[in-house]
Amino acid sequence: LNVDYPFNLTGILYFPKINTEYDSIEGTIKLYNNQVFIADNIKEVIPEFLMLLKGVIDCPDLPLNVSRSALQNDGFVKKISEYITKKVADKLAELYKADKDEFAKKWDDIKMFIQFGMLTDEKFYDKATGFALYKSIDNKYATLSEYIAQVKEAQTDKDGNLVLLYTNDPDAHYTYIERAKAKGYDVLLMDGELDVHIMSQAEQKGMEKEKNSEDKLRFVRIDSDTIENLIRKEENTKDNYSDEQKEG
């Protein structure tokens, strides 16, 4: 972070390496004024979802004596918070565009931070749709809009609904997954703690680039029905019954 207008701020933030014990994560972002320590983890200055990150921020324009009640009503402080959010989002977008494969390798480690941001910050969500990835069971990564383009033709049902199949347990759902593959369908791996909320959010908002489909996007767990019922196609089968048999 490096800005000199409309306020002076420098700093560095990083995503700590995590394991699956998400509830043990505790980030620390220390605030300084001209290298004089003020406090850490001030939520009025640092967006809530970035509290899980670690780093340091030096802002000479912040008061030395921090009063949280004063900060809550300070429009200047809000601008600082918005700038930090924008900067993090822009950097992630830049990294994704520069090297998608390298970004995908890091995705499993930063996924939870980004999803939490998307769920709690509207402006961050708008930017994150360009680099938030979805992972297929064959370890291929794509943004939602990229993924939709890949599966739209095969996984749109007879009513025009785009059905995105997912599993939260590939081993338990192995048979269902194989039946889906046999039909030429793809299956997402959605086994993270925030994945259910992210899918619900995506269904509600739709994709801005897919306005015609935003009310038709559905995530469906692979074991919730037979594959024929999950993605219903037009029935072109003809019966071979005689008129007499039909009457019977």
Side-chain angles (χ1 to χ4, degrees):
L1 307 170
N2 190 1
V3 65
D4 52 21
Y5 181 82
F7 48 81
N8 196 345
L9 181 147
T10 57
I12 185 167
L13 301 176
Y14 68 91
F15 294 90
K17 182 79 172 178
I18 62 171
N19 55 30
T20 54
E21 299 299 324
Y22 294 151
D23 54 1
S24 67
I25 296 172
E26 184 177 351
T28 304
I29 299 178
K30 296 186 179 295
L31 289 176
Y32 288 81
N33 178 323
N34 279 327
Q35 301 183 29
V36 176
F37 177 68
I38 301 175
D40 52 29
N41 292 357
I42 302 296
K43 66 179 181 179
E44 286 77 17
V45 179
I46 302 161
E48 182 183 8
F49 73 97
L50 293 180
M51 290 288 195
L52 300 177
L53 273 63
K54 295 185 179 182
V56 58
I57 292 172
D58 193 320
C59 183
D61 296 323
L62 282 176
L64 283 171
N65 296 317
V66 177
S67 166
R68 292 199 167 180
S69 59
L71 289 176
Q72 286 175 347
N73 301 311
D74 193 325
F76 173 76
V77 170
K78 185 178 181 182
K79 287 182 180 179
I80 294 177
S81 176
E82 290 176 349
Y83 167 78
I84 294 172
T85 299
K86 180 180 182 298
K87 191 67 175 178
V88 170
D90 288 346
K91 184 64 176 179
L92 290 167
E94 178 187 321
L95 291 170
Y96 180 65
K97 290 177 182 177
D99 193 333
K100 294 183 178 182
D101 292 338
E102 193 62 32
F103 187 88
K105 291 177 183 177
K106 297 180 175 68
W107 176 250
D108 290 340
D109 289 316
I110 66 176
K111 168 184 173 180
M112 196 267 302
F113 299 109
I114 293 173
Q115 287 185 335
F116 185 46
M118 294 174 72
L119 293 167
T120 58
D121 190 305
E122 195 75 23
K123 289 183 178 179
F124 184 78
Y125 173 88
D126 292 338
K127 288 181 173 292
T129 53
F131 55 78
L133 302 183
Y134 286 73
K135 180 180 180 180
S136 294
I137 53 171
D138 55 1
N139 289 322
K140 292 182 180 178
Y141 295 83
T143 64
L144 186 54
S145 58
E146 291 169 344
Y147 186 73
I148 286 173
Q150 294 169 16
V151 303
K152 188 173 184 178
E153 184 175 352
Q155 293 180 211
T156 298
D157 67 15
K158 64 184 181 67
D159 297 317
N161 297 306
L162 175 58
V163 182
L164 302 187
L165 304 170
Y166 75 93
T167 176
N168 59 354
D169 190 337
D171 293 332
H173 299 157
Y174 176 79
T175 303
Y176 297 96
I177 292 170
E178 289 302 303
R179 288 173 182 165
K181 284 183 174 181
K183 291 276 189 181
Y185 302 149
D186 194 73
V187 182
L188 291 168
L189 177 61
M190 304 295 281
D191 58 351
E193 294 197 4
L194 298 179
D195 282 345
V196 170
H197 304 291
I198 285 294
M199 287 187 286
S200 177
Q201 184 183 47
E203 286 180 338
Q204 290 173 7
K205 288 180 174 292
M207 293 296 295
E208 291 186 1
K209 294 180 181 179
E210 297 284 339
K211 286 183 182 291
N212 294 330
S213 302
E214 63 182 17
D215 295 325
K216 301 176 182 179
L217 177 66
R218 294 194 301 119
F219 287 87
V220 179
R221 205 170 82 175
I222 194 73
D223 66 330
S224 56
D225 205 334
T226 63
I227 191 62
E228 290 77 15
N229 286 335
L230 293 182
I231 304 179
R232 290 180 176 271
K233 296 291 186 177
E234 293 289 351
E235 295 181 6
N236 297 317
T237 55
K238 296 181 179 179
D239 66 67
N240 294 314
Y241 296 110
S242 64
D243 290 341
E244 184 179 350
Q245 289 173 319
K246 288 179 183 178
E247 184 65 28

